[in-house]
């Protein structure tokens, strides 16, 4: 897994690429949380459009980041246009918890 973090006008954009599994979720949990709780961040956009694989640990990772953002009164949304990942998120009921968009532009508006 690889990720890129960009802060634009109070919005943290985290682009995740590759596989989001237990190994990677454990490795990146603290790094993501440190960025999310930054005082300059009001909104978090996690772009998972380029994930090639995600398991239940990846779903738990996303829910955990949502809870971290919520605890610090920050909005968190997802960007995803992968049929495979969308189906997984839908099956797990994530869409009821976290808003999801198909493009970063939609998520930023």
């Amino acid at each position: 897994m690889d990720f890129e973090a960009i802060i634009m006008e109070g919005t943290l954009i985290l682009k995740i690429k590759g596989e989001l599994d237990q190994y990677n979720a454990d490795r990146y949990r603290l790094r993501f949380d440190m960025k999310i709780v930054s005082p300059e961040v009001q909104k978090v956009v996690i772009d998972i459009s380029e994930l090639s694989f995600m398991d239940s640990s990846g779903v738990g990772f996303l829910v955990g980041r949502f809870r971290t953002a919520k605890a610090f009164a920050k909005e968190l949304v997802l960007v995803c246009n992968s049929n495979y990942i969308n189906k997984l998120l839908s099956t797990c009921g994530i869409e009821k918890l976290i808003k999801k968009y198909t493009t970063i532009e939609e998520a930023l508006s």
Side-chain angles (χ1 to χ4, degrees), residues 11-44:
T11 300
L12 171 64
I13 302 170
L14 295 166
K15 295 182 179 186
I16 306 173
K17 301 175 183 178
E19 298 184 357
L20 183 50
D21 54 15
Q22 181 178 1
Y23 174 75
N24 288 316
D26 290 344
R27 280 182 59 202
Y28 290 101
R29 183 173 288 117
L30 184 58
R31 287 187 198 176
F32 275 49
D33 284 350
M34 299 274 295
K35 293 184 182 306
I36 291 169
V37 302
S38 172
E40 63 188 303
V41 172
Q42 288 88 46
K43 181 177 182 177
V44 180

Side-chain angles (χ1 to χ4, degrees), residues 42-45 66 69-70 73-77 99 101 107:
Q42 288 88 46
K43 181 177 182 177
V44 180
V45 176
F66 172 78
K70 188 175 179 182
K74 299 174 188 213
E75 179 185 9
L76 184 142
V77 299
K99 289 182 188 174
Y101 300 92

